[in-house]
Amino acid sequence: MRLTNVAHLRLPFGRLLGYDVTVGRLGRPLPVSFDQRRHVGAGDRAGSWMALSFTLSAPVPSDALAAAWLAVVARHGTLRSIFSPGEDGEPRLHEVEIFPGDWVEHPIAPGQAVNDALRDVLDHACPPYSRPSHRLCVLETAAGPTVVVAADHSHVDMWSMLVIARDLLTALAAVQDGRVPSLPPAPAFAEHTRALRDCPAAPAEVHHRWAEVLAASGDVMPRFPLSLGAATLQQERVEVRDVLDVDDSAAFSAQARDDGVSTLALVVAAMTDVTRELAGTPLRAVFPVHSRYDATWNDSVGWFITNSVLESTDPDPRASAEAVKEAVRMGSWPLEDVLRPWGGMPEAPGMFAISWLDLRRLPVRVDATGLEAQYVGATIRTDGVMLWFILDEAGLHLRCRYPDTPEARQHVGTWLDTLIAHLQSRARESVGGRLPLGDRVYRVQRAGRADVPALVALLSDDEIGRTREGAEMARYEEAYDAIARDSAHYLAVVRAEDDRIIGTMQLTIIPGLSRGGTARLQIEGVRVAATERSHGVGTAMLEWAHDHGRHRGATLVQVTTDRARERAQAFYARLGYDSSHVGFKRAL
């Protein structure tokens, strides 16, 4: 899923509408979490919200969308709560009733970008003390509506935004089907706050470790290790990078598995290496961790994030894995108690934070690609550096926010460039692309256009291929272009140590409804050069192909071969393939 901020959000032009709910009187008081108190206690301000946008394929009646939104609000207690300033300056949180309201059109001034108009709406509607501090907007266009849901960060996190989107789509489908949009109840975030308050105090070793890490940072939360220029709030600069595509992400994950660590740990190892290279210091950063400590809270909406600190001194992957585990343990205790000696979280200009979210592992899923879903951040002034990593089916993505000063541009930009080069190099050199056979190592890569003649030669090099291949090269190049445009296809080349192409195969992921929505890996055009046959290369290629399919969600693999290829049939049978189906072909 794309990570962006409102200034970079890709929006079509259309009518911008917002739904004004009606808010009742204050109800019973609710507990305020440590992080909510810190966030809301900073006061009303623009840019404290986060949002998610997605597109719908067809127009939706505004009353249907409003009914669906009210069903979402009714399900999630935090969306039916508001903050107000207490007489002692501490924020108070109360339950409120939310009633239907009205749609209003937000004007887009002549020459004003849609992004800017949306930002103005959300900055006005979603500060911490708004009643309520969330907003449903829709951008009506000829191509269909774009829905934007935003809320002050005190009520949501990135996981929560997926829950809201999923629930809104579920409720909308019910309304459009003529049914009442009833969603099952979900535990409210206030219950989670109460549960955390009942947790035991952190053990002495946790307090001691926090004190060590903060002392190494000057008794404040960790700061970016290079100069950011003036230590005052500056206009932010946001960089959005696609770090690893689906192929490199698979290779990187394969390297992590081979190292016996998680993908996150291998990224932390790279950040540790880069920080030591550029700053000569260990990697120290604020490290947000989830407080959804069990499945009870999976379908709830709230700020289920607390902060920990990460200190990684050794770029060895296993050492970095231990640093990540330690950070998670340190963030598993109520922070109010842990940070009491510092009078709360000791923030300082230059604070450095790293957030990680693997969408593939979440129990909450939406069709992010089909919906063109995007996480959207606000535009703010900042004096620190914040990194968000998102790992999904399309690869690894990064958004970074830092103060827009000459020093920060140079130092953060160099740090990011070096990190991304390191990650990409690690992916391309990983075990994920290697086929070790005895004392030889082959490499699997996605084919390039310049490889087409060599692939055609391989396809032609047998008794059947000699009679059916032989079209003009332009035809093959045109076919290559069609394959390369579609990410569902992987046209593989296998290279020997001297870079000769000695094998090829075409892999295709086929989604389907049958067998409970099973995705299939189709393998076609498997060829090995005559000089390399009978050495295990074909077996290694098929095993690599199976891993390729698994990483992309396939749970079934299928292959076809000509009836005349008796050796090929025996080969596939040895690998566990069952000739359970009959295939048919006809010319068109």
Side-chain angles (χ1 to χ4, degrees), residues 550-571:
R550 289 187 195 100
H551 188 78
R552 287 155 181 78
T555 56
L556 183 69
V557 59
Q558 57 194 35
V559 62
T560 62
T561 189
D562 195 287
R563 282 179 178 167
R565 298 185 188 275
E566 295 180 357
R567 291 183 61 190
Q569 294 172 46
F571 167 71

PDB file of all heavy atoms in Angstrom, residues 550-571:
ATOM      1  N   ARG A 550       4.962 -19.715  -3.528  1.00  0.00           N
ATOM      2  CA  ARG A 550       4.547 -19.612  -2.127  1.00  0.00           C
ATOM      3  C   ARG A 550       4.615 -18.174  -1.639  1.00  0.00           C
ATOM      4  O   ARG A 550       3.725 -17.713  -0.920  1.00  0.00           O
ATOM      5  CB  ARG A 550       5.456 -20.483  -1.253  1.00  0.00           C
ATOM      6  CG  ARG A 550       5.264 -21.985  -1.427  1.00  0.00           C
ATOM      7  CD  ARG A 550       6.083 -22.757  -0.394  1.00  0.00           C
ATOM      8  NE  ARG A 550       6.193 -24.157  -0.776  1.00  0.00           N
ATOM      9  CZ  ARG A 550       7.245 -24.690  -1.365  1.00  0.00           C
ATOM     10  NH1 ARG A 550       8.311 -23.925  -1.631  1.00  0.00           N
ATOM     11  NH2 ARG A 550       7.274 -25.971  -1.681  1.00  0.00           N
ATOM     12  N   HIS A 551       5.696 -17.466  -1.996  1.00  0.00           N
ATOM     13  CA  HIS A 551       5.859 -16.089  -1.529  1.00  0.00           C
ATOM     14  C   HIS A 551       4.751 -15.186  -2.051  1.00  0.00           C
ATOM     15  O   HIS A 551       4.432 -14.179  -1.427  1.00  0.00           O
ATOM     16  CB  HIS A 551       7.224 -15.552  -1.973  1.00  0.00           C
ATOM     17  CG  HIS A 551       7.567 -14.221  -1.383  1.00  0.00           C
ATOM     18  ND1 HIS A 551       8.020 -14.072  -0.094  1.00  0.00           N
ATOM     19  CD2 HIS A 551       7.489 -12.959  -1.901  1.00  0.00           C
ATOM     20  CE1 HIS A 551       8.224 -12.799   0.158  1.00  0.00           C
ATOM     21  NE2 HIS A 551       7.922 -12.102  -0.925  1.00  0.00           N
ATOM     22  N   ARG A 552       4.154 -15.553  -3.160  1.00  0.00           N
ATOM     23  CA  ARG A 552       3.083 -14.738  -3.750  1.00  0.00           C
ATOM     24  C   ARG A 552       1.700 -15.313  -3.484  1.00  0.00           C
ATOM     25  O   ARG A 552       0.737 -14.952  -4.129  1.00  0.00           O
ATOM     26  CB  ARG A 552       3.335 -14.578  -5.260  1.00  0.00           C
ATOM     27  CG  ARG A 552       4.506 -13.630  -5.532  1.00  0.00           C
ATOM     28  CD  ARG A 552       5.158 -13.894  -6.878  1.00  0.00           C
ATOM     29  NE  ARG A 552       6.283 -12.988  -7.096  1.00  0.00           N
ATOM     30  CZ  ARG A 552       7.484 -13.155  -6.536  1.00  0.00           C
ATOM     31  NH1 ARG A 552       7.725 -14.189  -5.745  1.00  0.00           N
ATOM     32  NH2 ARG A 552       8.457 -12.279  -6.758  1.00  0.00           N
ATOM     33  N   GLY A 553       1.598 -16.202  -2.515  1.00  0.00           N
ATOM     34  CA  GLY A 553       0.293 -16.673  -2.063  1.00  0.00           C
ATOM     35  C   GLY A 553      -0.252 -17.887  -2.775  1.00  0.00           C
ATOM     36  O   GLY A 553      -1.388 -18.306  -2.494  1.00  0.00           O
ATOM     37  N   ALA A 554       0.493 -18.481  -3.697  1.00  0.00           N
ATOM     38  CA  ALA A 554      -0.008 -19.668  -4.397  1.00  0.00           C
ATOM     39  C   ALA A 554       0.110 -20.893  -3.490  1.00  0.00           C
ATOM     40  O   ALA A 554       1.108 -21.069  -2.792  1.00  0.00           O
ATOM     41  CB  ALA A 554       0.771 -19.898  -5.686  1.00  0.00           C
ATOM     42  N   THR A 555      -0.908 -21.739  -3.515  1.00  0.00           N
ATOM     43  CA  THR A 555      -0.890 -22.973  -2.730  1.00  0.00           C
ATOM     44  C   THR A 555      -1.026 -24.204  -3.620  1.00  0.00           C
ATOM     45  O   THR A 555      -1.153 -25.322  -3.125  1.00  0.00           O
ATOM     46  CB  THR A 555      -2.018 -22.968  -1.684  1.00  0.00           C
ATOM     47  OG1 THR A 555      -3.269 -22.754  -2.343  1.00  0.00           O
ATOM     48  CG2 THR A 555      -1.795 -21.871  -0.651  1.00  0.00           C
ATOM     49  N   LEU A 556      -1.026 -23.999  -4.910  1.00  0.00           N
ATOM     50  CA  LEU A 556      -1.109 -25.100  -5.867  1.00  0.00           C
ATOM     51  C   LEU A 556      -0.249 -24.740  -7.068  1.00  0.00           C
ATOM     52  O   LEU A 556      -0.246 -23.587  -7.514  1.00  0.00           O
ATOM     53  CB  LEU A 556      -2.565 -25.304  -6.309  1.00  0.00           C
ATOM     54  CG  LEU A 556      -2.847 -26.467  -7.258  1.00  0.00           C
ATOM     55  CD1 LEU A 556      -2.647 -27.796  -6.542  1.00  0.00           C
ATOM     56  CD2 LEU A 556      -4.275 -26.371  -7.791  1.00  0.00           C
ATOM     57  N   VAL A 557       0.495 -25.720  -7.593  1.00  0.00           N
ATOM     58  CA  VAL A 557       1.316 -25.484  -8.776  1.00  0.00           C
ATOM     59  C   VAL A 557       0.877 -26.442  -9.868  1.00  0.00           C
ATOM     60  O   VAL A 557       0.517 -27.598  -9.595  1.00  0.00           O
ATOM     61  CB  VAL A 557       2.825 -25.667  -8.463  1.00  0.00           C
ATOM     62  CG1 VAL A 557       3.124 -27.057  -7.944  1.00  0.00           C
ATOM     63  CG2 VAL A 557       3.682 -25.360  -9.683  1.00  0.00           C
ATOM     64  N   GLN A 558       0.862 -25.961 -11.080  1.00  0.00           N
ATOM     65  CA  GLN A 558       0.470 -26.804 -12.204  1.00  0.00           C
ATOM     66  C   GLN A 558       1.408 -26.545 -13.376  1.00  0.00           C
ATOM     67  O   GLN A 558       1.914 -25.446 -13.564  1.00  0.00           O
ATOM     68  CB  GLN A 558      -0.984 -26.561 -12.600  1.00  0.00           C
ATOM     69  CG  GLN A 558      -1.323 -25.132 -12.959  1.00  0.00           C
ATOM     70  CD  GLN A 558      -2.828 -24.894 -13.021  1.00  0.00           C
ATOM     71  OE1 GLN A 558      -3.593 -25.476 -12.259  1.00  0.00           O
ATOM     72  NE2 GLN A 558      -3.236 -24.034 -13.934  1.00  0.00           N
ATOM     73  N   VAL A 559       1.638 -27.613 -14.169  1.00  0.00           N
ATOM     74  CA  VAL A 559       2.540 -27.540 -15.300  1.00  0.00           C
ATOM     75  C   VAL A 559       1.989 -28.433 -16.401  1.00  0.00           C
ATOM     76  O   VAL A 559       1.329 -29.438 -16.117  1.00  0.00           O
ATOM     77  CB  VAL A 559       3.970 -27.984 -14.892  1.00  0.00           C
ATOM     78  CG1 VAL A 559       3.987 -29.421 -14.425  1.00  0.00           C
ATOM     79  CG2 VAL A 559       4.967 -27.764 -16.022  1.00  0.00           C
ATOM     80  N   THR A 560       2.201 -28.031 -17.629  1.00  0.00           N
ATOM     81  CA  THR A 560       1.802 -28.867 -18.757  1.00  0.00           C
ATOM     82  C   THR A 560       3.021 -29.199 -19.598  1.00  0.00           C
ATOM     83  O   THR A 560       3.990 -28.437 -19.630  1.00  0.00           O
ATOM     84  CB  THR A 560       0.760 -28.157 -19.652  1.00  0.00           C
ATOM     85  OG1 THR A 560       1.341 -26.972 -20.192  1.00  0.00           O
ATOM     86  CG2 THR A 560      -0.489 -27.810 -18.861  1.00  0.00           C
ATOM     87  N   THR A 561       2.986 -30.334 -20.251  1.00  0.00           N
ATOM     88  CA  THR A 561       4.057 -30.714 -21.167  1.00  0.00           C
ATOM     89  C   THR A 561       3.459 -31.559 -22.283  1.00  0.00           C
ATOM     90  O   THR A 561       2.410 -32.200 -22.110  1.00  0.00           O
ATOM     91  CB  THR A 561       5.168 -31.499 -20.438  1.00  0.00           C
ATOM     92  OG1 THR A 561       6.278 -31.674 -21.320  1.00  0.00           O
ATOM     93  CG2 THR A 561       4.687 -32.860 -19.949  1.00  0.00           C
ATOM     94  N   ASP A 562       4.090 -31.511 -23.412  1.00  0.00           N
ATOM     95  CA  ASP A 562       3.598 -32.258 -24.577  1.00  0.00           C
ATOM     96  C   ASP A 562       3.641 -33.770 -24.291  1.00  0.00           C
ATOM     97  O   ASP A 562       4.557 -34.264 -23.640  1.00  0.00           O
ATOM     98  CB  ASP A 562       4.468 -31.920 -25.798  1.00  0.00           C
ATOM     99  CG  ASP A 562       3.816 -32.345 -27.093  1.00  0.00           C
ATOM    100  OD1 ASP A 562       3.775 -33.566 -27.350  1.00  0.00           O
ATOM    101  OD2 ASP A 562       3.367 -31.449 -27.833  1.00  0.00           O
ATOM    102  N   ARG A 563       2.636 -34.507 -24.810  1.00  0.00           N
ATOM    103  CA  ARG A 563       2.614 -35.957 -24.608  1.00  0.00           C
ATOM    104  C   ARG A 563       3.863 -36.647 -25.151  1.00  0.00           C
ATOM    105  O   ARG A 563       4.274 -37.695 -24.663  1.00  0.00           O
ATOM    106  CB  ARG A 563       1.383 -36.556 -25.301  1.00  0.00           C
ATOM    107  CG  ARG A 563       0.092 -36.352 -24.523  1.00  0.00           C
ATOM    108  CD  ARG A 563      -1.063 -36.955 -25.289  1.00  0.00           C
ATOM    109  NE  ARG A 563      -2.306 -36.804 -24.544  1.00  0.00           N
ATOM    110  CZ  ARG A 563      -3.502 -37.008 -25.074  1.00  0.00           C
ATOM    111  NH1 ARG A 563      -3.609 -37.356 -26.349  1.00  0.00           N
ATOM    112  NH2 ARG A 563      -4.582 -36.864 -24.342  1.00  0.00           N
ATOM    113  N   ALA A 564       4.468 -36.039 -26.173  1.00  0.00           N
ATOM    114  CA  ALA A 564       5.658 -36.639 -26.771  1.00  0.00           C
ATOM    115  C   ALA A 564       6.880 -36.523 -25.870  1.00  0.00           C
ATOM    116  O   ALA A 564       7.875 -37.233 -26.078  1.00  0.00           O
ATOM    117  CB  ALA A 564       5.940 -35.991 -28.123  1.00  0.00           C
ATOM    118  N   ARG A 565       6.821 -35.657 -24.878  1.00  0.00           N
ATOM    119  CA  ARG A 565       7.981 -35.447 -24.001  1.00  0.00           C
ATOM    120  C   ARG A 565       7.928 -36.456 -22.837  1.00  0.00           C
ATOM    121  O   ARG A 565       7.582 -36.112 -21.710  1.00  0.00           O
ATOM    122  CB  ARG A 565       8.009 -34.018 -23.476  1.00  0.00           C
ATOM    123  CG  ARG A 565       8.143 -32.943 -24.545  1.00  0.00           C
ATOM    124  CD  ARG A 565       8.293 -31.572 -23.879  1.00  0.00           C
ATOM    125  NE  ARG A 565       8.239 -30.482 -24.815  1.00  0.00           N
ATOM    126  CZ  ARG A 565       9.293 -30.026 -25.510  1.00  0.00           C
ATOM    127  NH1 ARG A 565      10.473 -30.610 -25.365  1.00  0.00           N
ATOM    128  NH2 ARG A 565       9.150 -29.022 -26.338  1.00  0.00           N
ATOM    129  N   GLU A 566       8.258 -37.666 -23.100  1.00  0.00           N
ATOM    130  CA  GLU A 566       8.167 -38.695 -22.073  1.00  0.00           C
ATOM    131  C   GLU A 566       9.164 -38.461 -20.941  1.00  0.00           C
ATOM    132  O   GLU A 566       8.863 -38.691 -19.759  1.00  0.00           O
ATOM    133  CB  GLU A 566       8.392 -40.073 -22.706  1.00  0.00           C
ATOM    134  CG  GLU A 566       7.294 -40.461 -23.700  1.00  0.00           C
ATOM    135  CD  GLU A 566       7.534 -41.824 -24.309  1.00  0.00           C
ATOM    136  OE1 GLU A 566       8.594 -42.433 -24.003  1.00  0.00           O
ATOM    137  OE2 GLU A 566       6.665 -42.277 -25.078  1.00  0.00           O
ATOM    138  N   ARG A 567      10.375 -37.995 -21.262  1.00  0.00           N
ATOM    139  CA  ARG A 567      11.352 -37.726 -20.213  1.00  0.00           C
ATOM    140  C   ARG A 567      10.884 -36.591 -19.299  1.00  0.00           C
ATOM    141  O   ARG A 567      11.090 -36.634 -18.077  1.00  0.00           O
ATOM    142  CB  ARG A 567      12.709 -37.377 -20.826  1.00  0.00           C
ATOM    143  CG  ARG A 567      13.398 -38.553 -21.518  1.00  0.00           C
ATOM    144  CD  ARG A 567      14.769 -38.147 -22.037  1.00  0.00           C
ATOM    145  NE  ARG A 567      15.641 -37.724 -20.937  1.00  0.00           N
ATOM    146  CZ  ARG A 567      16.829 -37.136 -21.121  1.00  0.00           C
ATOM    147  NH1 ARG A 567      17.269 -36.881 -22.365  1.00  0.00           N
ATOM    148  NH2 ARG A 567      17.575 -36.799 -20.106  1.00  0.00           N
ATOM    149  N   ALA A 568      10.255 -35.593 -19.894  1.00  0.00           N
ATOM    150  CA  ALA A 568       9.737 -34.482 -19.089  1.00  0.00           C
ATOM    151  C   ALA A 568       8.643 -34.972 -18.142  1.00  0.00           C
ATOM    152  O   ALA A 568       8.568 -34.570 -16.970  1.00  0.00           O
ATOM    153  CB  ALA A 568       9.219 -33.366 -19.983  1.00  0.00           C
ATOM    154  N   GLN A 569       7.765 -35.835 -18.628  1.00  0.00           N
ATOM    155  CA  GLN A 569       6.695 -36.366 -17.782  1.00  0.00           C
ATOM    156  C   GLN A 569       7.278 -37.146 -16.608  1.00  0.00           C
ATOM    157  O   GLN A 569       6.815 -37.025 -15.466  1.00  0.00           O
ATOM    158  CB  GLN A 569       5.774 -37.253 -18.611  1.00  0.00           C
ATOM    159  CG  GLN A 569       4.997 -36.493 -19.687  1.00  0.00           C
ATOM    160  CD  GLN A 569       4.244 -37.423 -20.614  1.00  0.00           C
ATOM    161  OE1 GLN A 569       3.582 -38.357 -20.173  1.00  0.00           O
ATOM    162  NE2 GLN A 569       4.363 -37.179 -21.913  1.00  0.00           N
ATOM    163  N   ALA A 570       8.306 -37.956 -16.869  1.00  0.00           N
ATOM    164  CA  ALA A 570       8.944 -38.698 -15.780  1.00  0.00           C
ATOM    165  C   ALA A 570       9.617 -37.750 -14.785  1.00  0.00           C
ATOM    166  O   ALA A 570       9.599 -37.968 -13.565  1.00  0.00           O
ATOM    167  CB  ALA A 570       9.962 -39.674 -16.358  1.00  0.00           C
ATOM    168  N   PHE A 571      10.194 -36.659 -15.295  1.00  0.00           N
ATOM    169  CA  PHE A 571      10.849 -35.660 -14.442  1.00  0.00           C
ATOM    170  C   PHE A 571       9.843 -35.032 -13.481  1.00  0.00           C
ATOM    171  O   PHE A 571      10.074 -34.963 -12.260  1.00  0.00           O
ATOM    172  CB  PHE A 571      11.503 -34.612 -15.341  1.00  0.00           C
ATOM    173  CG  PHE A 571      11.947 -33.371 -14.637  1.00  0.00           C
ATOM    174  CD1 PHE A 571      13.047 -33.385 -13.778  1.00  0.00           C
ATOM    175  CD2 PHE A 571      11.282 -32.165 -14.825  1.00  0.00           C
ATOM    176  CE1 PHE A 571      13.462 -32.226 -13.135  1.00  0.00           C
ATOM    177  CE2 PHE A 571      11.691 -31.005 -14.177  1.00  0.00           C
ATOM    178  CZ  PHE A 571      12.788 -31.046 -13.339  1.00  0.00           C
TER     179      PHE A 571
END
